[in-house]
Amino acid sequence: MIRKCQNGEIDMILTKSISRFFRNTQDIIKYVRMLRDRNIAIVFEKENINTLDMNGEMLLTILSSLS
């Protein structure tokens, strides 16, 4: 899926929760930033976070460290 994002085939990822996307906080932040640089949003349904929003990364960091 990440490769498809890099190739421009995907413009948004919708996932149920943070724990379903990645288990490691460092990996989450790495991929969120990489995808955000390509203007690709990741939307976490359960936590109501969109990574293209201003507070998305901050909330994601806090919640992923708790997961």
Side-chain angles (χ1 to χ4, degrees):
M1 181 172 47
I2 297 297
R3 193 172 311 121
K4 286 187 178 223
C5 288
Q6 292 172 326
N7 292 335
E9 298 175 45
I10 296 175
D11 59 1
M12 177 186 275
I13 298 172
L14 178 61
T15 184
K16 186 68 177 169
S17 68
I18 294 170
S19 64
R20 295 293 170 205
F21 189 68
F22 271 103
R23 305 268 185 218
N24 182 315
T25 303
Q26 290 177 328
D27 286 340
I28 289 174
I29 299 306
K30 174 181 137 184
Y31 285 105
V32 164
R33 288 179 179 167
M34 181 197 67
L35 295 172
R36 189 182 57 221
D37 289 344
R38 290 177 164 77
N39 204 33
I40 299 171
I42 306 169
V43 177
F44 298 92
E45 265 187 333
K46 181 179 175 186
E47 295 84 3
N48 195 30
I49 296 173
N50 181 334
T51 58
L52 293 183
D53 287 344
M54 290 297 256
N55 295 324
E57 186 174 338
M58 181 182 67
L59 288 171
L60 185 61
T61 303
I62 293 167
L63 294 173
S64 65
S65 65
L66 298 173
S67 291

Short mmCIF file of all heavy atoms in Angstrom, two decimals:
data_model
loop_
_atom_site.label_atom_id
_atom_site.label_comp_id
_atom_site.label_asym_id
_atom_site.label_seq_id
_atom_site.Cartn_x
_atom_site.Cartn_y
_atom_site.Cartn_z
N MET A 1 0.82 -1.18 0.00
CA MET A 1 0.00 0.00 0.00
C MET A 1 0.87 1.26 0.00
O MET A 1 0.58 2.21 -0.72
CB MET A 1 -0.94 -0.01 1.20
CG MET A 1 -1.84 1.18 1.26
SD MET A 1 -3.12 1.13 2.54
CE MET A 1 -2.25 0.64 3.98
N ILE A 2 1.93 1.26 0.79
CA ILE A 2 2.83 2.41 0.82
C ILE A 2 3.46 2.61 -0.56
O ILE A 2 3.58 3.74 -1.03
CB ILE A 2 3.92 2.23 1.91
CG1 ILE A 2 3.29 2.15 3.31
CG2 ILE A 2 4.95 3.34 1.84
CD1 ILE A 2 2.54 3.40 3.75
N ARG A 3 3.84 1.52 -1.20
CA ARG A 3 4.43 1.62 -2.54
C ARG A 3 3.43 2.24 -3.52
O ARG A 3 3.80 3.07 -4.35
CB ARG A 3 4.87 0.24 -3.03
CG ARG A 3 5.77 0.31 -4.24
CD ARG A 3 6.36 -1.03 -4.63
NE ARG A 3 6.96 -1.74 -3.51
CZ ARG A 3 6.57 -2.96 -3.12
NH1 ARG A 3 5.61 -3.60 -3.73
NH2 ARG A 3 7.14 -3.54 -2.09
N LYS A 4 2.17 1.85 -3.42
CA LYS A 4 1.14 2.42 -4.30
C LYS A 4 0.97 3.91 -4.03
O LYS A 4 0.75 4.69 -4.95
CB LYS A 4 -0.18 1.68 -4.14
CG LYS A 4 -0.16 0.32 -4.79
CD LYS A 4 -1.53 -0.31 -4.76
CE LYS A 4 -1.45 -1.64 -5.47
NZ LYS A 4 -2.57 -1.86 -6.33
N CYS A 5 1.07 4.32 -2.77
CA CYS A 5 1.02 5.75 -2.44
C CYS A 5 2.18 6.49 -3.07
O CYS A 5 2.01 7.56 -3.64
CB CYS A 5 1.05 5.94 -0.92
SG CYS A 5 -0.45 5.46 -0.07
N GLN A 6 3.36 5.90 -2.99
CA GLN A 6 4.55 6.53 -3.57
C GLN A 6 4.43 6.64 -5.09
O GLN A 6 4.97 7.57 -5.69
CB GLN A 6 5.80 5.74 -3.21
CG GLN A 6 6.13 5.83 -1.73
CD GLN A 6 7.26 4.90 -1.33
OE1 GLN A 6 7.41 3.81 -1.85
NE2 GLN A 6 8.06 5.35 -0.37
N ASN A 7 3.73 5.71 -5.70
CA ASN A 7 3.55 5.72 -7.15
C ASN A 7 2.37 6.59 -7.59
O ASN A 7 2.06 6.66 -8.77
CB ASN A 7 3.35 4.30 -7.69
CG ASN A 7 4.61 3.47 -7.56
OD1 ASN A 7 5.71 4.00 -7.52
ND2 ASN A 7 4.45 2.16 -7.47
N GLY A 8 1.68 7.21 -6.64
CA GLY A 8 0.57 8.09 -6.96
C GLY A 8 -0.74 7.38 -7.24
O GLY A 8 -1.68 7.98 -7.77
N GLU A 9 -0.85 6.11 -6.87
CA GLU A 9 -2.05 5.33 -7.13
C GLU A 9 -3.10 5.49 -6.04
O GLU A 9 -4.27 5.17 -6.24
CB GLU A 9 -1.70 3.85 -7.28
CG GLU A 9 -0.77 3.56 -8.45
CD GLU A 9 -0.34 2.12 -8.50
OE1 GLU A 9 -1.21 1.24 -8.34
OE2 GLU A 9 0.86 1.87 -8.69
N ILE A 10 -2.71 5.96 -4.86
CA ILE A 10 -3.61 6.12 -3.71
C ILE A 10 -3.47 7.54 -3.21
O ILE A 10 -2.36 8.06 -3.08
CB ILE A 10 -3.25 5.12 -2.59
CG1 ILE A 10 -3.47 3.68 -3.06
CG2 ILE A 10 -4.05 5.40 -1.33
CD1 ILE A 10 -3.03 2.63 -2.06
N ASP A 11 -4.61 8.19 -2.91
CA ASP A 11 -4.53 9.56 -2.39
C ASP A 11 -5.07 9.69 -0.98
O ASP A 11 -4.98 10.75 -0.38
CB ASP A 11 -5.24 10.54 -3.32
CG ASP A 11 -6.71 10.21 -3.51
OD1 ASP A 11 -7.20 9.24 -2.92
OD2 ASP A 11 -7.36 10.94 -4.27
N MET A 12 -5.62 8.61 -0.41
CA MET A 12 -6.09 8.62 0.98
C MET A 12 -6.13 7.19 1.51
O MET A 12 -6.52 6.27 0.80
CB MET A 12 -7.48 9.22 1.10
CG MET A 12 -8.03 9.19 2.52
SD MET A 12 -9.73 9.74 2.65
CE MET A 12 -9.44 11.48 2.76
N ILE A 13 -5.73 7.05 2.77
CA ILE A 13 -5.81 5.76 3.45
C ILE A 13 -6.82 5.90 4.58
O ILE A 13 -6.70 6.81 5.40
CB ILE A 13 -4.44 5.33 4.00
CG1 ILE A 13 -3.44 5.15 2.86
CG2 ILE A 13 -4.57 4.06 4.83
CD1 ILE A 13 -2.02 4.91 3.32
N LEU A 14 -7.79 5.04 4.60
CA LEU A 14 -8.80 5.03 5.66
C LEU A 14 -8.60 3.75 6.46
O LEU A 14 -8.63 2.65 5.91
CB LEU A 14 -10.20 5.06 5.05
CG LEU A 14 -11.37 5.00 6.00
CD1 LEU A 14 -11.35 6.20 6.94
CD2 LEU A 14 -12.67 4.95 5.24
N THR A 15 -8.35 3.92 7.77
CA THR A 15 -8.12 2.75 8.62
C THR A 15 -8.98 2.85 9.88
O THR A 15 -9.36 3.94 10.30
CB THR A 15 -6.62 2.61 8.97
OG1 THR A 15 -6.42 1.41 9.72
CG2 THR A 15 -6.11 3.79 9.75
N LYS A 16 -9.31 1.71 10.43
CA LYS A 16 -10.20 1.66 11.58
C LYS A 16 -9.60 2.34 12.80
O LYS A 16 -10.25 3.12 13.46
CB LYS A 16 -10.54 0.19 11.90
CG LYS A 16 -11.57 0.02 12.98
CD LYS A 16 -12.92 0.51 12.53
CE LYS A 16 -13.95 0.26 13.59
NZ LYS A 16 -15.20 0.93 13.29
N SER A 17 -8.33 2.03 13.10
CA SER A 17 -7.71 2.62 14.28
C SER A 17 -6.19 2.66 14.12
O SER A 17 -5.64 2.02 13.23
CB SER A 17 -8.08 1.84 15.55
OG SER A 17 -7.49 0.56 15.52
N ILE A 18 -5.54 3.37 15.01
CA ILE A 18 -4.09 3.50 14.98
C ILE A 18 -3.42 2.13 15.06
O ILE A 18 -2.49 1.84 14.32
CB ILE A 18 -3.60 4.39 16.14
CG1 ILE A 18 -4.09 5.82 15.94
CG2 ILE A 18 -2.09 4.35 16.27
CD1 ILE A 18 -3.87 6.72 17.13
N SER A 19 -3.92 1.27 15.93
CA SER A 19 -3.29 -0.04 16.12
C SER A 19 -3.39 -0.92 14.88
O SER A 19 -2.63 -1.88 14.75
CB SER A 19 -3.91 -0.75 17.32
OG SER A 19 -5.27 -1.03 17.08
N ARG A 20 -4.29 -0.61 13.97
CA ARG A 20 -4.41 -1.38 12.74
C ARG A 20 -3.47 -0.89 11.65
O ARG A 20 -3.21 -1.60 10.69
CB ARG A 20 -5.85 -1.34 12.20
CG ARG A 20 -6.83 -1.99 13.11
CD ARG A 20 -6.57 -3.47 13.15
NE ARG A 20 -7.35 -4.10 14.19
CZ ARG A 20 -7.01 -5.21 14.78
NH1 ARG A 20 -5.90 -5.83 14.44
NH2 ARG A 20 -7.76 -5.73 15.71
N PHE A 21 -2.94 0.29 11.80
CA PHE A 21 -2.03 0.84 10.79
C PHE A 21 -0.60 0.42 11.07
O PHE A 21 0.08 -0.11 10.22
CB PHE A 21 -2.16 2.36 10.73
CG PHE A 21 -1.42 2.99 9.59
CD1 PHE A 21 -1.83 2.79 8.29
CD2 PHE A 21 -0.32 3.78 9.82
CE1 PHE A 21 -1.16 3.36 7.23
CE2 PHE A 21 0.38 4.36 8.77
CZ PHE A 21 -0.04 4.14 7.47
N PHE A 22 -0.11 0.65 12.26
CA PHE A 22 1.24 0.26 12.69
C PHE A 22 1.23 0.04 14.19
O PHE A 22 0.43 0.60 14.90
CB PHE A 22 2.28 1.34 12.37
CG PHE A 22 2.88 1.20 11.01
CD1 PHE A 22 2.49 2.02 9.98
CD2 PHE A 22 3.85 0.24 10.76
CE1 PHE A 22 3.04 1.90 8.72
CE2 PHE A 22 4.41 0.12 9.51
CZ PHE A 22 4.01 0.95 8.48
N ARG A 23 2.17 -0.75 14.65
CA ARG A 23 2.29 -1.03 16.09
C ARG A 23 3.39 -0.19 16.75
O ARG A 23 3.48 -0.13 17.95
CB ARG A 23 2.61 -2.51 16.31
CG ARG A 23 1.62 -3.44 15.68
CD ARG A 23 0.53 -3.81 16.62
NE ARG A 23 -0.35 -4.81 15.99
CZ ARG A 23 -1.64 -4.82 16.15
NH1 ARG A 23 -2.22 -3.90 16.89
NH2 ARG A 23 -2.37 -5.73 15.58
N ASN A 24 4.22 0.43 15.95
CA ASN A 24 5.38 1.14 16.47
C ASN A 24 5.21 2.64 16.23
O ASN A 24 4.99 3.08 15.11
CB ASN A 24 6.62 0.62 15.73
CG ASN A 24 7.90 1.22 16.20
OD1 ASN A 24 7.99 2.43 16.37
ND2 ASN A 24 8.91 0.40 16.39
N THR A 25 5.35 3.45 17.28
CA THR A 25 5.16 4.90 17.18
C THR A 25 6.11 5.53 16.18
O THR A 25 5.72 6.39 15.40
CB THR A 25 5.34 5.55 18.57
OG1 THR A 25 4.42 4.95 19.48
CG2 THR A 25 5.07 7.04 18.51
N GLN A 26 7.37 5.12 16.20
CA GLN A 26 8.34 5.69 15.26
C GLN A 26 7.95 5.41 13.82
O GLN A 26 8.09 6.28 12.96
CB GLN A 26 9.74 5.15 15.54
CG GLN A 26 10.33 5.67 16.83
CD GLN A 26 11.69 5.06 17.11
OE1 GLN A 26 11.96 3.92 16.76
NE2 GLN A 26 12.54 5.84 17.76
N ASP A 27 7.48 4.20 13.53
CA ASP A 27 7.05 3.86 12.18
C ASP A 27 5.84 4.68 11.76
O ASP A 27 5.76 5.14 10.62
CB ASP A 27 6.72 2.37 12.05
CG ASP A 27 7.97 1.50 12.04
OD1 ASP A 27 9.06 2.02 11.75
OD2 ASP A 27 7.83 0.29 12.32
N ILE A 28 4.90 4.85 12.67
CA ILE A 28 3.71 5.65 12.35
C ILE A 28 4.11 7.05 11.94
O ILE A 28 3.68 7.55 10.90
CB ILE A 28 2.73 5.70 13.55
CG1 ILE A 28 2.07 4.34 13.77
CG2 ILE A 28 1.67 6.77 13.34
CD1 ILE A 28 1.21 4.27 15.01
N ILE A 29 4.93 7.70 12.75
CA ILE A 29 5.34 9.08 12.47
C ILE A 29 6.11 9.16 11.16
O ILE A 29 5.90 10.07 10.35
CB ILE A 29 6.17 9.66 13.64
CG1 ILE A 29 5.33 9.68 14.92
CG2 ILE A 29 6.69 11.05 13.31
CD1 ILE A 29 4.01 10.40 14.81
N LYS A 30 7.00 8.21 10.93
CA LYS A 30 7.80 8.18 9.70
C LYS A 30 6.89 8.14 8.47
O LYS A 30 7.05 8.94 7.53
CB LYS A 30 8.73 6.97 9.72
CG LYS A 30 9.50 6.74 8.45
CD LYS A 30 10.37 5.52 8.59
CE LYS A 30 10.32 4.67 7.36
NZ LYS A 30 11.07 3.42 7.50
N TYR A 31 5.93 7.23 8.46
CA TYR A 31 5.05 7.07 7.30
C TYR A 31 4.03 8.19 7.19
O TYR A 31 3.71 8.62 6.08
CB TYR A 31 4.39 5.69 7.30
CG TYR A 31 5.37 4.62 6.90
CD1 TYR A 31 5.91 3.76 7.84
CD2 TYR A 31 5.78 4.50 5.57
CE1 TYR A 31 6.83 2.79 7.47
CE2 TYR A 31 6.70 3.54 5.20
CZ TYR A 31 7.23 2.69 6.15
OH TYR A 31 8.15 1.74 5.78
N VAL A 32 3.55 8.68 8.30
CA VAL A 32 2.61 9.81 8.26
C VAL A 32 3.29 11.01 7.61
O VAL A 32 2.72 11.67 6.74
CB VAL A 32 2.10 10.17 9.68
CG1 VAL A 32 1.47 11.54 9.71
CG2 VAL A 32 1.11 9.11 10.14
N ARG A 33 4.52 11.29 8.00
CA ARG A 33 5.25 12.44 7.43
C ARG A 33 5.56 12.23 5.96
O ARG A 33 5.44 13.15 5.16
CB ARG A 33 6.53 12.70 8.23
CG ARG A 33 6.24 13.27 9.59
CD ARG A 33 7.49 13.50 10.38
NE ARG A 33 7.17 14.07 11.69
CZ ARG A 33 8.01 14.15 12.69
NH1 ARG A 33 9.25 13.70 12.56
NH2 ARG A 33 7.64 14.68 13.83
N MET A 34 5.97 11.03 5.62
CA MET A 34 6.28 10.73 4.22
C MET A 34 5.04 10.91 3.34
O MET A 34 5.10 11.54 2.28
CB MET A 34 6.80 9.30 4.06
CG MET A 34 7.17 8.96 2.63
SD MET A 34 7.32 7.19 2.33
CE MET A 34 5.64 6.66 2.54
N LEU A 35 3.91 10.39 3.81
CA LEU A 35 2.67 10.49 3.04
C LEU A 35 2.13 11.91 3.03
O LEU A 35 1.62 12.38 2.01
CB LEU A 35 1.63 9.50 3.58
CG LEU A 35 2.02 8.02 3.40
CD1 LEU A 35 1.04 7.12 4.13
CD2 LEU A 35 2.12 7.65 1.93
N ARG A 36 2.27 12.62 4.13
CA ARG A 36 1.81 14.01 4.19
C ARG A 36 2.59 14.88 3.20
O ARG A 36 2.02 15.76 2.56
CB ARG A 36 1.94 14.56 5.60
CG ARG A 36 1.27 15.94 5.74
CD ARG A 36 1.42 16.54 7.11
NE ARG A 36 2.84 16.65 7.43
CZ ARG A 36 3.35 16.39 8.61
NH1 ARG A 36 2.59 16.03 9.61
NH2 ARG A 36 4.64 16.50 8.82
N ASP A 37 3.87 14.60 3.05
CA ASP A 37 4.69 15.33 2.07
C ASP A 37 4.18 15.12 0.64
O ASP A 37 4.40 15.97 -0.21
CB ASP A 37 6.16 14.92 2.16
CG ASP A 37 6.84 15.42 3.43
OD1 ASP A 37 6.27 16.33 4.10
OD2 ASP A 37 7.92 14.89 3.77
N ARG A 38 3.51 14.00 0.43
CA ARG A 38 2.92 13.70 -0.88
C ARG A 38 1.43 14.10 -0.92
O ARG A 38 0.73 13.76 -1.86
CB ARG A 38 3.06 12.23 -1.20
CG ARG A 38 4.48 11.80 -1.49
CD ARG A 38 4.56 10.30 -1.72
NE ARG A 38 5.80 9.90 -2.34
CZ ARG A 38 6.96 9.79 -1.74
NH1 ARG A 38 7.05 10.08 -0.47
NH2 ARG A 38 8.04 9.40 -2.38
N ASN A 39 0.98 14.78 0.13
CA ASN A 39 -0.42 15.23 0.25
C ASN A 39 -1.41 14.05 0.28
O ASN A 39 -2.50 14.12 -0.28
CB ASN A 39 -0.77 16.22 -0.85
CG ASN A 39 -1.92 17.11 -0.44
OD1 ASN A 39 -2.07 17.44 0.73
ND2 ASN A 39 -2.75 17.47 -1.39
N ILE A 40 -1.00 12.97 0.95
CA ILE A 40 -1.84 11.79 1.11
C ILE A 40 -2.28 11.72 2.57
O ILE A 40 -1.45 11.66 3.48
CB ILE A 40 -1.10 10.50 0.71
CG1 ILE A 40 -0.69 10.57 -0.76
CG2 ILE A 40 -1.96 9.27 0.99
CD1 ILE A 40 0.22 9.46 -1.20
N ALA A 41 -3.58 11.74 2.79
CA ALA A 41 -4.12 11.71 4.15
C ALA A 41 -4.26 10.28 4.65
O ALA A 41 -4.56 9.37 3.87
CB ALA A 41 -5.49 12.38 4.18
N ILE A 42 -4.06 10.11 5.94
CA ILE A 42 -4.41 8.87 6.62
C ILE A 42 -5.49 9.26 7.62
O ILE A 42 -5.29 10.15 8.44
CB ILE A 42 -3.22 8.24 7.36
CG1 ILE A 42 -2.04 8.04 6.43
CG2 ILE A 42 -3.64 6.91 7.99
CD1 ILE A 42 -0.76 7.66 7.14
N VAL A 43 -6.64 8.62 7.52
CA VAL A 43 -7.76 8.91 8.41
C VAL A 43 -7.98 7.71 9.32
O VAL A 43 -8.16 6.59 8.84
CB VAL A 43 -9.04 9.22 7.60
CG1 VAL A 43 -10.21 9.47 8.53
CG2 VAL A 43 -8.81 10.42 6.68
N PHE A 44 -7.92 7.97 10.63
CA PHE A 44 -8.14 6.93 11.63
C PHE A 44 -9.56 7.11 12.15
O PHE A 44 -9.85 8.09 12.85
CB PHE A 44 -7.11 7.06 12.75
CG PHE A 44 -5.69 6.87 12.28
CD1 PHE A 44 -4.93 7.96 11.90
CD2 PHE A 44 -5.14 5.61 12.20
CE1 PHE A 44 -3.63 7.81 11.46
CE2 PHE A 44 -3.83 5.44 11.75
CZ PHE A 44 -3.07 6.54 11.38
N GLU A 45 -10.44 6.18 11.80
CA GLU A 45 -11.86 6.30 12.13
C GLU A 45 -12.13 6.39 13.63
O GLU A 45 -12.79 7.30 14.09
CB GLU A 45 -12.62 5.08 11.59
CG GLU A 45 -13.24 5.28 10.27
CD GLU A 45 -14.10 4.09 9.90
OE1 GLU A 45 -13.85 2.96 10.36
OE2 GLU A 45 -15.02 4.31 9.14
N LYS A 46 -11.62 5.42 14.37
CA LYS A 46 -11.93 5.32 15.81
C LYS A 46 -11.49 6.57 16.57
O LYS A 46 -12.22 7.09 17.40
CB LYS A 46 -11.25 4.08 16.39
CG LYS A 46 -11.52 3.86 17.85
CD LYS A 46 -10.81 2.59 18.33
CE LYS A 46 -10.95 2.43 19.81
NZ LYS A 46 -10.16 1.29 20.30
N GLU A 47 -10.30 7.08 16.26
CA GLU A 47 -9.75 8.22 16.97
C GLU A 47 -10.15 9.56 16.34
O GLU A 47 -9.83 10.61 16.88
CB GLU A 47 -8.22 8.12 17.02
CG GLU A 47 -7.70 6.96 17.83
CD GLU A 47 -7.63 5.64 17.04
OE1 GLU A 47 -7.94 5.63 15.83
OE2 GLU A 47 -7.30 4.62 17.64
N ASN A 48 -10.80 9.51 15.19
CA ASN A 48 -11.23 10.70 14.46
C ASN A 48 -10.05 11.63 14.17
O ASN A 48 -10.08 12.83 14.48
CB ASN A 48 -12.34 11.43 15.22
CG ASN A 48 -13.03 12.44 14.34
OD1 ASN A 48 -13.12 12.27 13.12
ND2 ASN A 48 -13.52 13.52 14.94
N ILE A 49 -8.99 11.06 13.58
CA ILE A 49 -7.79 11.82 13.25
C ILE A 49 -7.57 11.78 11.75
O ILE A 49 -7.63 10.72 11.13
CB ILE A 49 -6.54 11.24 13.95
CG1 ILE A 49 -6.67 11.34 15.46
CG2 ILE A 49 -5.27 11.93 13.47
CD1 ILE A 49 -5.56 10.64 16.23
N ASN A 50 -7.32 12.95 11.19
CA ASN A 50 -6.92 13.08 9.79
C ASN A 50 -5.52 13.67 9.82
O ASN A 50 -5.31 14.74 10.37
CB ASN A 50 -7.88 13.99 9.04
CG ASN A 50 -7.52 14.15 7.59
OD1 ASN A 50 -6.38 14.01 7.17
ND2 ASN A 50 -8.52 14.44 6.78
N THR A 51 -4.56 12.97 9.22
CA THR A 51 -3.16 13.39 9.33
C THR A 51 -2.86 14.68 8.56
O THR A 51 -1.80 15.26 8.77
CB THR A 51 -2.21 12.29 8.84
OG1 THR A 51 -2.52 11.95 7.49
CG2 THR A 51 -2.32 11.07 9.74
N LEU A 52 -3.76 15.13 7.71
CA LEU A 52 -3.54 16.40 7.02
C LEU A 52 -4.05 17.58 7.83
O LEU A 52 -3.81 18.73 7.47
CB LEU A 52 -4.18 16.38 5.62
CG LEU A 52 -3.55 15.42 4.62
CD1 LEU A 52 -4.22 15.54 3.27
CD2 LEU A 52 -2.05 15.62 4.49
N ASP A 53 -4.75 17.33 8.94
CA ASP A 53 -5.18 18.40 9.84
C ASP A 53 -3.99 18.89 10.66
O ASP A 53 -3.03 18.16 10.88
CB ASP A 53 -6.26 17.92 10.81
CG ASP A 53 -7.60 17.71 10.13
OD1 ASP A 53 -7.79 18.21 9.02
OD2 ASP A 53 -8.45 17.05 10.75
N MET A 54 -4.10 20.11 11.16
CA MET A 54 -3.02 20.72 11.93
C MET A 54 -2.64 19.90 13.18
O MET A 54 -1.48 19.74 13.49
CB MET A 54 -3.40 22.14 12.37
CG MET A 54 -3.44 23.10 11.23
SD MET A 54 -1.83 23.28 10.51
CE MET A 54 -1.38 24.85 11.16
N ASN A 55 -3.62 19.41 13.91
CA ASN A 55 -3.36 18.70 15.17
C ASN A 55 -3.23 17.20 14.99
O ASN A 55 -3.01 16.49 15.96
CB ASN A 55 -4.47 19.00 16.18
CG ASN A 55 -4.48 20.45 16.58
OD1 ASN A 55 -3.44 21.08 16.68
ND2 ASN A 55 -5.67 21.00 16.79
N GLY A 56 -3.35 16.72 13.76
CA GLY A 56 -3.35 15.28 13.51
C GLY A 56 -2.11 14.57 13.99
O GLY A 56 -2.19 13.55 14.67
N GLU A 57 -0.93 15.09 13.67
CA GLU A 57 0.31 14.41 14.05
C GLU A 57 0.51 14.42 15.57
O GLU A 57 0.93 13.43 16.15
CB GLU A 57 1.51 15.04 13.36
CG GLU A 57 2.79 14.26 13.62
CD GLU A 57 3.97 14.77 12.82
OE1 GLU A 57 3.78 15.42 11.79
OE2 GLU A 57 5.09 14.51 13.27
N MET A 58 0.19 15.52 16.21
CA MET A 58 0.35 15.60 17.67
C MET A 58 -0.56 14.57 18.36
O MET A 58 -0.11 13.82 19.21
CB MET A 58 0.02 17.00 18.18
CG MET A 58 0.18 17.14 19.67
SD MET A 58 -0.27 18.77 20.29
CE MET A 58 -2.03 18.77 20.00
N LEU A 59 -1.83 14.54 17.98
CA LEU A 59 -2.75 13.56 18.56
C LEU A 59 -2.32 12.14 18.26
O LEU A 59 -2.39 11.27 19.11
CB LEU A 59 -4.17 13.79 18.04
CG LEU A 59 -4.89 15.02 18.56
CD1 LEU A 59 -6.19 15.25 17.78
CD2 LEU A 59 -5.18 14.88 20.03
N LEU A 60 -1.88 11.93 17.04
CA LEU A 60 -1.44 10.61 16.63
C LEU A 60 -0.26 10.14 17.47
O LEU A 60 -0.21 8.99 17.91
CB LEU A 60 -1.06 10.63 15.15
CG LEU A 60 -0.70 9.31 14.52
CD1 LEU A 60 -1.87 8.35 14.58
CD2 LEU A 60 -0.28 9.53 13.09
N THR A 61 0.69 10.99 17.71
CA THR A 61 1.87 10.65 18.52
C THR A 61 1.45 10.27 19.94
O THR A 61 1.90 9.26 20.48
CB THR A 61 2.86 11.83 18.57
OG1 THR A 61 3.23 12.17 17.25
CG2 THR A 61 4.08 11.46 19.38
N ILE A 62 0.58 11.05 20.52
CA ILE A 62 0.13 10.77 21.90
C ILE A 62 -0.65 9.47 21.95
O ILE A 62 -0.36 8.60 22.79
CB ILE A 62 -0.74 11.93 22.42
CG1 ILE A 62 0.11 13.19 22.60
CG2 ILE A 62 -1.42 11.56 23.74
CD1 ILE A 62 -0.69 14.46 22.80
N LEU A 63 -1.60 9.30 21.06
CA LEU A 63 -2.44 8.10 21.10
C LEU A 63 -1.69 6.83 20.69
O LEU A 63 -1.94 5.76 21.24
CB LEU A 63 -3.67 8.29 20.23
CG LEU A 63 -4.66 9.35 20.72
CD1 LEU A 63 -5.77 9.58 19.70
CD2 LEU A 63 -5.24 8.95 22.07
N SER A 64 -0.77 6.95 19.74
CA SER A 64 -0.02 5.76 19.33
C SER A 64 0.92 5.28 20.43
O SER A 64 1.17 4.10 20.56
CB SER A 64 0.74 6.01 18.04
OG SER A 64 1.72 6.98 18.23
N SER A 65 1.43 6.20 21.23
CA SER A 65 2.30 5.79 22.33
C SER A 65 1.51 5.06 23.41
O SER A 65 2.06 4.25 24.15
CB SER A 65 3.04 6.97 22.92
OG SER A 65 2.15 7.87 23.52
N LEU A 66 0.22 5.32 23.48
CA LEU A 66 -0.64 4.64 24.45
C LEU A 66 -1.14 3.29 23.95
O LEU A 66 -1.52 2.44 24.74
CB LEU A 66 -1.83 5.52 24.82
CG LEU A 66 -1.51 6.85 25.49
CD1 LEU A 66 -2.77 7.68 25.62
CD2 LEU A 66 -0.83 6.62 26.83
N SER A 67 -1.17 3.12 22.63
CA SER A 67 -1.71 1.87 22.04
C SER A 67 -0.84 0.69 22.31
O SER A 67 0.31 0.69 22.32
CB SER A 67 -1.87 2.04 20.54
OG SER A 67 -2.88 2.95 20.25
#
